[in-house]
Amino acid sequence: MSQTDNVTYGLEKIMPEAEDFLPLLGTDYVELYVGNAKQSAHFYKTAFGFQSVAYAGLETGVKDRTSYVLQQDKIRLVLTTPMEKDGPINRHINEHGDGVKVVALWVPDATKAWEETTSRGAKSFMEPIKEEDGHGHVVRSGIHTYGETIHIFVERENYNGPFLPGYKKWESHYNPSEVGLRYIDHMVGNVGWGEMNKWVDFYAKVMGFAQLVSFDDKDISTEYTALMSKVMSNGNGRIKFPINEPAEGRKKSQIEEYIDFYNGAGVQHIAVATNNIIETVTALRDRGVEFLYVPEAYYETVLDRVGEIDEDLAPLKELGILIDRDDEGYLLQIFTKPVVDRPTMFFEIIQRKGAKSFGKGNFKALFEAIEREQELRGTL
Ligand code: FE2
C-alpha cells in the first residue's frame, strides 16, 4: 500500500448491521488435535510461555483422549490427543496433521446460541448439553464451520472449576514465565477456491457477523498477494474472523499450499495481542520460536510508507517486525513459521497502536518472505 491508502471502517460503523441474536463475550478456548499432547504442551509452555491449568485423561476417567489446558492471560489452549487406535481424533490428525479443531466461543446462553444458529442453517455438531461436577455446571453446544472446524458455544456462568467438568487442576513444577501474550486479536480461516463468499455469508446469516469494510479487501490479487480476504466481525468486535481463499498469482498461493497440506479448509493463523511486541518477540525468539524472515530492504522504505512511530526502527528490523498504518493509527506485527511440520498453522503476534486493520500493507513483504520459504520446500 502507499501512504495515501485509507481504512474506511471503524467498529462503530458496523455495529448497526451486526445483529444481536448471538451475543458473544469472547473466545473461550481453542482446541487443537495433536499427535502427542504431552509434548505439544511442553512446547507451548517452553516456547510460548503458556501456563499449566487443567488436565483430563485416564486419571480423570476419560478413556478415549488426553487433554491439556494451558493459559496465558485471556488465551486458553486445549491440546487433545487420541488414546485409541481408531476414531474421529485419529482420523482428523491423519487427514490434517496437528491443527485447530475447535474455536470455542464464550456465550451467555449456549442453548439459545445453538437454536439461533441451527435455525439459520448451521449444521449441528453437538446439541446443548449440561455438564457438571463439584464446581458447578456448564452448558455447551456446537456447530460446524469451514472444513472440519467447529464452533463450540460455552456457557460457564455457573461454573468455577479450573476449566470444564471432567478436568482436574494441572499442577506442574515446571512453569516458564509468560511472554506477554494477552488475548486473541483475530483467527484466520483458509477456505478453498471460490469459497470465501460462501463462508462470509455463513458468518453473516448464521452468526449475525458483519463484514469489516476496509482497504484490506481491495487490490488483493497482485503478483505477490495471491489471495482474497474478507474480515467478518461480531457486533461488539471481540471476535474477528478473516476468511482467505487462494487467488491466481505469479506463483502458487500460500493459501493453496495450506489447503493442499491440510487437505481442506482450516484455521491458518491465530493472531495474539501483546502490549510490547519488542519484549514479547525477543522472549519468544530466545525460547526457540521461529519467525518469517523479512527482507532487509523492507526497512529502507517502511517509514516513508507508515510515517512516524514511537519505536526505534533498529530493534524492529533486528527482530523482523512489520509495520502498517491506517486512518486510526498503526500496528506492529510478525508471523511465526508454521508451528507444525506441514506448512499449515502459524501464529501472528500483533501490537495495535490505534490501527484496526490487519496489515494489508505488509502483504507484499509477507508474501516475499513466505515465497522464500516455499522455494526451499519446492512447492512454488
Ligand atoms: Fe492476521
Side-chain angles (χ1 to χ4, degrees):
M1 72 175 242
S2 74
Q3 212 172 346
T4 54
D5 282 333
N6 288 326
V7 168
T8 54
Y9 73 85
L11 284 180
E12 64 283 358
K13 292 179 195 159
I14 66 148
M15 294 279 282
E17 295 166 39
E19 291 181 49
D20 233 4
F21 61 80
L22 183 62
L24 301 175
L25 304 170
T27 307
D28 196 280
Y29 64 91
V30 177
E31 182 171 12
L32 285 78
Y33 282 175
V34 298
N36 186 332
K38 179 175 278 200
Q39 291 190 5
S40 291
H42 188 66
F43 171 77
Y44 283 105
K45 287 171 70 170
T46 304
F48 279 88
F50 281 89
Q51 305 297 305
S52 303
V53 171
Y55 169 89
L58 294 175
E59 296 84 348
T60 66
V62 178
K63 298 277 192 284
D64 67 333
R65 63 184 69 195
T66 297
S67 296
Y68 295 81
V69 183
L70 302 94
Q71 189 159 353
Q72 187 162 180
D73 204 338
K74 294 188 171 64
I75 312 160
R76 189 151 48 193
L77 288 186
V78 182
L79 304 166
T80 294
T81 202
M83 295 293 280
E84 299 171 335
K85 71 181 165 77
D86 297 313
I89 306 173
N90 299 66
R91 203 193 46 68
H92 198 277
I93 294 168
N94 185 41
E95 192 83 4
H96 307 297
D98 289 8
V100 172
K101 175 63 180 177
V102 180
V103 178
L105 302 168
W106 177 27
V107 297
D109 186 338
T111 304
K112 182 169 181 289
W114 184 86
E115 287 168 355
E116 296 284 1
T117 51
T118 54
S119 71
R120 288 174 168 81
K123 187 178 154 203
S124 175
F125 173 79
M126 180 169 94
E127 290 190 16
I129 178 171
K130 185 176 168 185
E131 300 160 303
E132 54 194 325
D133 66 11
H135 298 287
H137 75 264
V138 302
V139 181
R140 291 195 302 154
S141 62
I143 59 170
H144 291 265
T145 177
Y146 49 77
E148 291 200 275
T149 316
I150 59 172
H151 288 308
I152 299 278
F153 301 117
V154 185
E155 173 189 333
R156 54 168 70 254
E157 194 190 359
N158 299 300
Y159 193 69
N160 61 12
F163 178 51
L164 291 172
Y167 286 78
K168 67 168 190 182
K169 196 169 190 306
W170 173 18
E171 308 270 13
S172 174
H173 74 272
Y174 178 63
N175 304 299
S177 60
E178 301 193 347
V179 299
L181 304 179
R182 297 180 54 233
Y183 59 87
I184 293 177
D185 184 277
H186 60 278
M187 285 188 73
V188 179
N190 281 346
V191 301
W193 292 95
E195 287 195 338
M196 176 183 67
N197 285 330
K198 172 185 157 184
W199 291 105
V200 164
D201 288 349
F202 169 88
Y203 281 105
K205 287 183 187 140
V206 170
M207 297 185 63
F209 283 31
Q211 189 187 341
L212 293 180
V213 179
S214 79
F215 71 81
D216 286 353
D217 307 320
K218 296 167 204 147
D219 180 36
I220 42 182
S221 201
T222 71
E223 59 177 344
Y224 290 108
T225 65
L227 68 80
M228 306 255 283
S229 188
K230 287 183 179 173
V231 182
M232 301 304 289
S233 171
N234 80 316
N236 62 20
R238 292 184 196 176
I239 308 294
K240 291 186 283 291
F241 293 147
I243 307 289
N244 294 337
E245 73 174 34
E248 295 290 350
R250 188 166 59 89
K251 293 176 180 174
K252 184 172 182 172
S253 168
Q254 60 136 326
I255 310 305
E256 189 181 0
E257 185 195 39
Y258 175 101
I259 300 284
D260 287 351
F261 279 89
Y262 200 75
N263 287 307
V267 171
Q268 179 210 37
H269 73 266
I270 304 173
V272 289
T274 172
N275 281 340
N276 187 329
I277 197 166
I278 292 174
E279 280 179 17
T280 295
V281 172
T282 300
L284 289 168
R285 199 168 69 156
D286 287 348
R287 292 157 175 243
V289 175
E290 297 177 312
F291 293 95
L292 287 185
Y293 170 76
V294 179
E296 281 204 6
Y298 173 90
Y299 294 95
E300 290 165 12
T301 54
V302 67
L303 293 184
D304 301 336
R305 182 165 64 81
V306 303
E308 218 170 280
I309 57 170
D310 301 335
E311 294 73 13
D312 287 336
L313 194 59
L316 301 177
K317 179 179 175 181
E318 155 70 14
L319 295 166
I321 294 166
L322 303 165
I323 313 153
D324 201 13
R325 183 179 285 278
D326 64 29
D327 265 2
E328 298 174 74
Y330 69 96
L331 63 83
L332 303 161
Q333 66 185 166
I334 189 169
F335 300 90
T336 72
K337 291 184 179 179
V339 291
V340 291
D341 288 301
R342 300 189 197 194
T344 52
M345 189 187 117
F346 59 90
F347 284 84
E348 171 184 347
I349 316 299
I350 183 167
Q351 181 178 4
R352 294 187 180 277
K353 304 200 88 169
K356 290 190 177 133
S357 49
F358 297 84
K360 169 67 201 314
N362 285 320
F363 274 21
K364 185 176 178 193
L366 169 64
F367 269 76
E368 283 174 332
I370 285 175
E371 283 174 2
R372 283 165 189 270
E373 308 280 330
Q374 275 184 270
E375 212 157 4
L376 287 174
R377 293 191 286 265
T379 55
L380 267 184

